[in-house]
Amino acid sequence: MHLIVGVPKEIAPRERRVGLVPDALKAVLDLDCEVRVERGAGADAGFPDAEYEAAGARIVDTGDAFAVDLVAKVRPPRARGAGGHEVDSLPRGSALISFLSPLDEPELAGRLAAQGVRAFSMELMPRVTRAQSMDALSSQSTIAGYRAVLTAATTLPRIFPMLVTAAGTLQPAKVLIVGAGVAGLQALGTARRLGAVTSAYDTRAAVKEQVQSVGAHFVELDLETGDAEDAGGYAVAQSEDFYQRQRDQLALYVAKSDVVITTALVPGQRAPLLIEERAVRGMRPGSVVVDLAAEKGGNCEVTVADEEVVVEGVHVLGPTNLPSEAPAHASQMYARNLTTFLAHLMQDGSLQLDLEDEITAGTLLTDAGRVVNERVAALLAAAGGEA
């Protein structure tokens, strides 16, 4: 008996991505799966229903896209307003692969467990070599870093490259990236390709070579970082005294920059505050700050999620979903991550869970009516929910 995979249309505001793209269907069909795609699910990303049908999918209504064995989504299930909650449409015993924000929204994990859904969270993918092709956080961060630079470039009242013309010489823009993870490194590369002079700061000294490899200057502050990176390669939270000294020193570099792009996040916590309002006021009028941590409170003190704030002529932008602004390629990359992960889970036409495998065990959020991820279960219990 083959597995039926459903691809519903995303209903989150301004979300244009889709869980699977037509080009990814062959990999799923080769696993002896049937694919049902909700009518119009890929339209906003540039993938019409006809392309899905040509690739072997069946186009269905909303209910039929959820009444399947496994649902492939991008954003966490959410309320449909008066139409109930997407979780309620998932059959008991079905599976879900999606971004699920488990460390920020543990109550959703509790709801999935109560519904009897076996849920896999793409955010929990371990940072190990075997999982690189399944790492959706990295693929979407790549798009976010690229789009952040384009957003800054179109807002800045100057151009990025140095030009020597008959009308005079134009000096290049100075771009500072705070946080040299996947998004930060992509932002550095994109800014440099546009002709900017680039630099980056990160608490993790280990990324210095990566920053320099894309032609950027690595900013080193007079700080004792200690263990700034966890076993999974993510930054770890520091003390408030550390952050204050960091803010004081960073302000000097921020003031010299035309564009600052911040990307610093700590999983499951509010984004660290790195740029105070006084530092923004110290920038030249017309300068731009793009805060990629806006959804988690922001790295900049004046950031407002999904809004543009102007402080003495400095533009501070807080986009929360830049990958959705390049939905075709963002969906293509995400679909590759998801199908590779699905192939990892499948055996003989059905899901086979090997909990000794770090990828399977690491991503499994709920199973058999329980929240099985210990960290998320603890957060849910602390909030008074049932694990």
Side-chain angles (χ1 to χ4, degrees):
M1 180 177 178
H2 57 235
L3 194 79
I4 302 175
V5 177
V7 183
K9 181 176 175 62
E10 299 294 328
I11 63 172
R14 299 182 299 278
E15 182 54 72
R16 299 165 62 198
R17 291 172 292 176
V18 62
L20 289 177
V21 301
D23 285 348
L25 290 192
K26 184 179 185 303
V28 180
L29 296 173
D30 285 347
L31 295 172
D32 193 26
C33 295
E34 175 187 336
V35 180
R36 298 178 183 175
V37 178
E38 181 178 349
R39 188 169 286 103
D44 290 343
F47 304 111
D49 292 344
E51 290 189 15
Y52 283 103
E53 288 185 302
R58 177 182 163 197
I59 303 302
V60 299
D61 294 330
T62 302
D64 291 329
F66 279 92
V68 295
D69 302 311
L70 183 144
V71 169
K73 276 181 56 61
V74 180
R75 297 293 291 273
R78 60 187 292 122
R80 296 193 184 97
H85 200 288
E86 287 185 310
V87 169
D88 299 333
S89 298
L90 294 166
R92 183 167 296 275
S94 64
L96 169 68
I97 300 177
S98 179
F99 284 123
L100 295 172
S101 302
L103 298 177
D104 301 305
E105 302 176 38
E107 63 278 2
L108 176 60
R111 185 165 192 154
L112 287 164
Q115 184 70 8
V117 175
R118 175 181 286 171
F120 298 89
S121 174
M122 295 299 274
E123 292 98 333
L124 299 177
M125 188 67 64
R127 287 283 177 91
V128 295
T129 302
R130 289 194 306 124
Q132 284 183 346
S133 59
M134 312 174 205
D135 188 353
L137 276 180
S138 290
S139 73
Q140 302 308 290
S141 293
T142 296
I143 300 290
Y146 169 81
R147 292 294 301 192
V149 173
L150 299 189
T151 299
T154 55
T155 305
L156 189 72
R158 310 173 62 193
I159 64 173
F160 272 29
M162 181 178 77
L163 291 182
V164 180
T165 75
T169 299
L170 305 180
Q171 295 301 317
K174 296 178 180 177
V175 176
L176 170 66
I177 309 298
V178 182
V182 175
L185 290 171
Q186 183 60 229
L188 283 173
T190 303
R192 183 171 173 80
R193 286 192 293 274
L194 290 178
V197 174
T198 54
S199 59
Y201 168 73
D202 197 293
T203 57
R204 301 166 298 165
V207 303
K208 179 177 181 178
E209 290 186 8
Q210 297 175 51
V211 168
Q212 293 173 333
S213 72
V214 292
H217 169 69
F218 185 70
V219 173
E220 298 187 70
L221 304 182
D222 184 19
L223 295 170
E224 178 56 54
T225 58
D227 295 325
E229 184 176 82
D230 66 16
Y234 295 99
V236 299
Q238 303 288 334
S239 67
E240 180 53 36
D241 177 66
F242 173 91
Y243 284 130
Q244 186 57 60
R245 288 184 289 118
Q246 184 182 64
R247 289 191 287 266
D248 292 341
Q249 295 183 41
L250 264 181
L252 302 176
Y253 292 90
V254 169
K256 300 174 185 177
S257 303
D258 299 300
V259 170
V260 177
I261 297 174
T262 66
T263 72
L265 289 166
V266 177
Q269 298 186 31
R270 187 206 184 280
L273 177 60
L274 304 177
I275 299 176
E276 296 175 314
E277 182 175 346
R278 63 183 176 88
V280 175
R281 294 182 182 278
M283 300 178 75
R284 178 165 49 180
S287 299
V288 178
V289 177
V290 180
D291 191 342
L292 294 188
E295 192 170 22
K296 299 291 293 294
N299 296 139
C300 179
E301 188 174 10
V302 301
T303 296
V304 177
D306 288 319
E307 292 188 18
E308 178 177 343
V309 177
V310 181
V311 179
E312 294 187 7
V314 178
H315 299 257
V316 181
L317 292 82
T320 61
N321 190 5
L322 284 178
S324 187
E325 295 184 12
H329 278 151
S331 298
Q332 179 182 330
M333 296 172 76
Y334 180 78
R336 173 62 187 276
N337 299 142
L338 192 148
T339 55
T340 305
F341 179 47
L342 180 59
H344 174 79
L345 297 174
M346 292 282 288
Q347 185 177 341
D348 298 327
S350 63
L351 291 181
Q352 301 290 333
L353 299 193
D354 176 9
L355 296 183
E356 297 299 316
D357 176 79
E358 61 184 328
I359 295 174
T360 302
T363 53
L364 186 61
L365 178 61
T366 64
D367 190 31
R370 297 187 306 111
V371 177
V372 296
N373 180 281
E374 294 182 359
R375 185 175 178 187
V376 178
L379 289 172
L380 186 62
E386 293 185 5

